[in-house]
Amino acid sequence: MARTNSRNTKGVRRQARAQGTSRKVNSARRKGQSILGRMLGMLPFTEEQLQKAFTVVILGVALLGLGWLAQVSGATAVAADRFAHVASNAGFKLRAVNVQGTQRMNEMLVHERAFGQRDLAMTRVDTEGLREELLQLPWVEDARVSRQLPDVLKVDIVERQPHAVLRKADRLMLIDPTGVELEPISRSDAAEYLLIEGPAAQGQVEALDALLDAAPALKGKVTGAEWVGNRRWNLTFDTGQRLALPQGEDRSAAALISFAQADGVHRLIGGEVASFDMRNPPRMYMHVPGRSEAQELSMQAQQQSGERGEET
């Protein structure tokens, strides 16, 4: 009988301990749920809205997963091919290219690249890729490519503007205001443009424009510009006379302005002087054909004699 009682006592104790553990677990669970409930209650959403949001997130993740699986398995490409085939059969196939904005460049260059997309379904035409290809053409400053359904590709071209002629070792090249080469040009056709020459002159085109803008009265008379020693300009006027300027943007601009003022007073351009040297401003040395080098006059001396003549 004593053994039986001992076993019953141990069973009762184990049952009590189990019940105590269960109560602790339930209490902790209720406490956790209470904290979570309070945290959720602080959010500006209802429980129904939160459930909908969680549902959307779960569906989004599922769709991304399916899209990734489709891409890996090749299903996306198959679907795109199928769609392009259907569109082509329905008449949505590239058949014509409408080019606008070309005035000087050869329009066939645009057609050659655009019709590289020929017989493609309009859904397959790579408009951005074609635009990037067109931007590689010398005359094209910008381009816009768009589809005109069902079968036309529209190409709008912004051309570069011809600005001057660059003398190279073997040919003359038409260039734009930034120095970009556009196309070769004949000597006769080049006569209407400013001729630029000299090593590294191509990179100085914009600087030359700024220099000539400093003396607007002379700009239209300048027909040639030589970049000398990668540091300064020699300008040639339509009379064939040449002006040597000093180096440095500010000094050369100041010298050109001074020459323009002297020309306005003494009519230097078109006179007997063949060349002017202003490399050491404010003095200007002039060379007259037939006179020895020792007899060359300075502009300063000429101005002084002119002033004395006015006084008398």
Side-chain angles (χ1 to χ4, degrees):
M1 293 295 292
R3 293 178 179 175
T4 303
N5 291 337
S6 177
R7 285 196 297 271
N8 292 338
T9 300
K10 292 179 179 179
V12 171
R13 289 175 180 173
R14 283 196 297 270
Q15 185 177 2
R17 282 198 300 272
Q19 290 176 352
T21 301
S22 178
R23 284 195 298 272
K24 290 179 181 179
V25 171
N26 291 333
S27 176
R29 184 177 298 164
R30 287 193 299 272
K31 184 177 181 180
Q33 291 175 346
S34 177
I35 294 174
L36 180 60
R38 288 197 297 272
M39 292 177 63
L40 292 175
M42 295 173 64
L43 297 175
F45 306 105
T46 64
E47 183 176 353
E48 183 180 358
Q49 290 174 329
L50 287 173
Q51 289 178 350
K52 290 181 178 180
F54 285 135
T55 301
V56 171
V57 171
I58 292 171
L59 289 175
V61 172
L63 288 174
L64 288 175
L66 290 174
W68 179 79
L69 288 174
Q71 187 173 8
V72 171
S73 64
T76 302
V78 173
D81 288 339
R82 182 59 182 170
F83 181 72
H85 180 70
V86 172
S88 179
N89 289 338
F92 293 88
K93 179 187 291 186
L94 177 60
R95 300 185 188 279
V97 177
N98 181 9
V99 182
Q100 297 181 356
T102 56
Q103 296 180 359
R104 299 178 178 88
M105 68 176 293
N106 185 356
E107 188 175 306
M108 291 306 299
L109 296 175
V110 180
H111 282 276
E112 288 173 3
R113 284 154 179 80
F115 274 111
Q117 312 275 339
R118 180 187 286 275
D119 295 330
L120 287 180
M122 293 297 284
T123 57
R124 284 294 200 186
V125 175
D126 183 6
T127 56
E128 186 59 30
L130 177 56
R131 176 181 180 273
E132 293 298 325
E133 189 175 351
L134 292 173
L135 290 177
Q136 303 303 313
L137 295 175
W139 276 97
V140 179
E141 182 175 4
D142 198 6
R144 183 174 58 188
V145 183
S146 58
R147 301 180 183 88
Q148 287 186 333
L149 299 178
D151 57 5
V152 177
L153 195 63
K154 183 179 179 182
V155 180
D156 292 301
I157 298 293
V158 177
E159 285 186 338
R160 297 182 184 275
Q161 297 300 311
H163 175 69
V165 171
L166 177 68
R167 186 195 299 276
K168 306 192 76 173
D170 56 344
R171 63 188 182 278
L172 299 176
M173 290 294 299
L174 191 63
I175 60 176
D176 81 339
T178 64
V180 174
E181 296 181 13
L182 302 178
E183 62 182 18
I185 187 171
S186 66
R187 187 175 298 275
S188 59
D189 291 336
E192 62 179 291
Y193 295 101
L194 173 67
L195 179 64
I196 300 175
E197 56 187 318
Q202 188 171 359
Q204 300 295 324
V205 177
E206 292 179 291
L208 175 62
D209 281 345
L211 172 64
L212 297 179
D213 285 340
L218 297 179
K219 187 172 183 178
K221 300 178 181 180
V222 177
T223 59
E226 180 186 8
W227 182 238
V228 182
N230 200 26
R231 66 182 187 276
R232 67 175 194 83
W233 291 102
N234 283 341
L235 302 182
T236 302
F237 300 104
D238 52 10
T239 57
Q241 296 166 294
R242 176 168 292 191
L243 169 63
L245 294 174
Q247 67 184 71
E249 293 182 7
D250 294 338
R251 295 181 71 232
S252 60
L256 186 60
I257 292 172
S258 296
F259 181 83
Q261 293 171 344
D263 178 62
V265 175
H266 300 284
R267 299 179 183 270
L268 299 177
I269 298 178
E272 62 177 349
V273 180
S275 63
F276 308 90
D277 189 342
M278 294 195 68
R279 286 177 292 177
N280 295 301
R283 299 179 67 85
M284 183 197 328
Y285 295 91
M286 299 176 292
H287 173 66
V288 179
R291 296 186 184 180
S292 65
E293 188 173 355
Q295 292 176 320
E296 292 181 5
L297 304 175
S298 71
M299 186 61 199
Q300 185 177 16
Q302 188 184 45
Q303 289 177 343
Q304 290 174 352
S305 62
E307 291 172 357
R308 288 194 296 269
E310 292 177 359
E311 292 174 357
T312 59

